[in-house]
Amino acid sequence: MDRLVNTVRPYAWGSTTAIPELLGTTPTGEPQAEMWMGAHPGAPSRTERGPLNEVIDADPVRELGAPAVGKFGPHLPFLLKVLAAGAPLSLQVHPDLAQAKAGFAAEQAAGVPIDAPHRNYKDANHKPELICALTPFNGLCGFRDPIEAADTIAALGVDSLKPYVDLLHAHPEEAALREVMTALLTADREDMAHTVTEAAAAAERLGGAHAPYAALAHHHPGDAGVIAAMLLNPVQLQPGEALFLGAGVPHAYLDGLGVEIMANSDNVLRCGLTPKHVDVPELLRIVRFEPTEPGVLRPEASPSGEEVYETPIDEFRLSRFVRAEGATPTDVTATTPQILLAVAGRPKAGEVTLAAGESVFVPAGETTELSGTGTVFRATVVA
């Protein structure tokens, strides 16, 4: 197996303390948002054999196993991260596989540079993802019942928001949500900025369930995404709980530390809470305008002690082992590639002792045991 040396990405929304606390390092004062573990070419993990993407490229079948290569191609199909949100991420949505393939092909044919700020599709893959909380973790996920959203907005008492409240009472629900989101994203920016400022002041006065929206406006003053956020379900995960985010579901992470796993893709369409490009027509084509429950996941334990977070896709499978002192070693040998990440204690993967925040890549078929005490996340695929 290969001990991984991983890159920490310094995005502006990152916490300055959460990842250093996990790793036992001194904070630099700069945001540390995501630690990437995997073979993504943007920041591949490093091993003694070289960057992990180059190690895999040299012999995909040996590293990934024939079943995974046959199903997903000669590349690691997932990216594992530790994500530390100190401020809200953009309100966003991901395409499904067919939409991603079509969108990528269209932008390629149009000659849009891959790094252009207005480009929507960086690759031809979908990006389902799962976030598992290591600390209390707040986010927004999926459309709430339109009447609940209408009540939240109406309570602000802002006259310029009354038309949106009326629209949310219309039927069918999907059409109401689409019409309100469209109106928010196409409104005059100066008028919307005044509305958001007034709404944020009211949210701060009201406090309680409205307080998060005042905080959003503090980070993104005048942004229509502050109002759009009121259309979504607020959700708080407790440590060990997780949230699966499929295609077309609008969402945003607000704050907290978690382990995130996703299909190996960069495709994001933004709805708000960002200075970045918002392609309204494409966004409206991708978003699923249907009320949904957030669907908090709790792991299902197996006799081996492995706790699995069940999801409906095969590009990744996330589980964890919470190992007590004196527990017998657990065989985790698999025919698929694995990344093992410690988040507590000092467990051992084979002969490698892992401190919190340390990880290893285990090639397909390599005999591996977990021993020692601590919590280990296991990322692999279903092939």
Side-chain angles (χ1 to χ4, degrees):
M1 70 182 65
D2 299 275
R3 186 185 287 273
L4 299 180
V5 178
N6 304 306
T7 298
V8 176
R9 310 304 293 263
Y11 305 134
W13 49 262
S15 167
T16 59
T17 58
I19 288 179
E21 286 177 2
L22 176 69
L23 299 177
T25 59
T26 302
T28 64
E30 298 298 318
Q32 298 186 39
E34 295 180 347
M35 183 173 72
W36 288 22
M37 291 155 282
H40 192 288
S45 298
R46 302 180 300 283
T47 76
E48 290 186 354
R49 296 190 285 161
L52 186 57
N53 57 331
E54 295 180 10
V55 170
I56 291 171
D57 288 346
D59 194 344
V61 172
R62 178 182 180 278
E63 303 297 334
L64 306 178
V69 172
K71 190 168 186 176
F72 305 110
H75 310 288
L76 188 67
F78 65 82
L79 176 63
L80 183 66
K81 300 179 179 179
V82 172
L83 183 146
L89 282 67
S90 62
L91 188 60
Q92 59 189 256
V93 68
H94 306 304
D96 64 25
L97 188 56
Q99 291 164 340
K101 288 180 176 179
F104 180 75
E107 290 188 327
Q108 288 292 91
V112 181
I114 200 73
D115 58 351
H118 62 284
R119 178 148 186 158
N120 295 316
Y121 298 95
K122 303 297 177 67
D123 52 68
N125 200 13
H126 63 164
K127 192 187 177 188
E129 59 190 41
L130 178 77
I131 183 78
C132 179
L134 295 178
T135 66
F137 194 99
N138 291 293
L140 304 166
C141 180
F143 288 109
R144 62 184 4 176
D145 182 285
I147 301 303
E148 289 182 14
D151 291 345
T152 298
I153 296 171
L156 298 170
V158 176
D159 288 344
S160 54
L161 290 175
K162 288 180 180 177
Y164 301 109
V165 173
D166 293 339
L167 286 172
L168 287 168
H169 283 92
H171 293 282
E173 293 179 333
E174 290 82 356
L177 290 167
R178 177 182 288 274
E179 195 163 350
V180 171
M181 181 68 86
T182 303
L184 288 171
L185 296 179
T186 57
D188 179 85
R189 289 195 175 191
E190 187 172 339
D191 290 344
M192 181 53 65
H194 288 303
T195 294
V196 172
T197 299
E198 191 176 350
E204 190 162 6
R205 287 195 304 272
L206 289 170
H210 285 83
Y213 307 113
L216 287 178
H218 172 74
H219 289 287
H220 299 281
D223 193 313
V226 174
I227 309 301
M230 299 181 193
L231 304 177
L232 306 187
N233 295 294
V235 58
Q236 184 181 72
L237 302 177
Q238 297 304 317
E241 294 181 334
L243 197 62
F244 174 73
L245 300 161
V249 178
H251 61 276
Y253 301 149
L254 302 181
D255 60 79
L257 179 70
V259 173
E260 185 182 36
I261 190 168
M262 63 191 62
N264 210 0
S265 171
D266 276 339
N267 288 326
V268 176
L269 288 102
R270 296 174 177 85
C271 318
L273 306 180
T274 178
K276 295 182 179 179
H277 175 64
V278 177
D279 184 335
V280 176
E282 186 67 7
L283 176 71
L284 296 175
R285 193 177 71 83
I286 297 300
V287 172
R288 294 180 179 174
F289 290 97
E290 54 189 31
T292 58
E293 292 293 327
V296 173
L297 297 177
R298 296 170 181 84
E300 298 182 14
S302 69
S304 69
E306 184 177 22
E307 300 175 346
V308 180
Y309 294 90
E310 297 289 351
T311 65
I313 53 92
D314 293 343
E315 281 88 345
F316 61 75
R317 176 182 181 273
L318 187 71
S319 61
R320 69 173 185 173
F321 295 84
V322 181
R323 296 187 52 80
E325 188 169 350
T328 58
T330 304
D331 185 0
V332 293
T333 305
T335 59
T336 52
Q338 305 179 67
I339 292 178
L340 303 174
L341 164 69
V343 296
R346 291 186 65 82
K348 293 180 70 175
E351 298 303 314
V352 179
T353 300
L354 299 173
E358 293 184 339
S359 56
V360 293
F361 172 75
V362 185
E366 182 167 317
T367 302
T368 308
E369 273 191 344
L370 284 179
S371 60
T373 305
T375 300
V376 177
F377 280 86
R378 180 193 197 190
T380 185
V381 301
V382 179

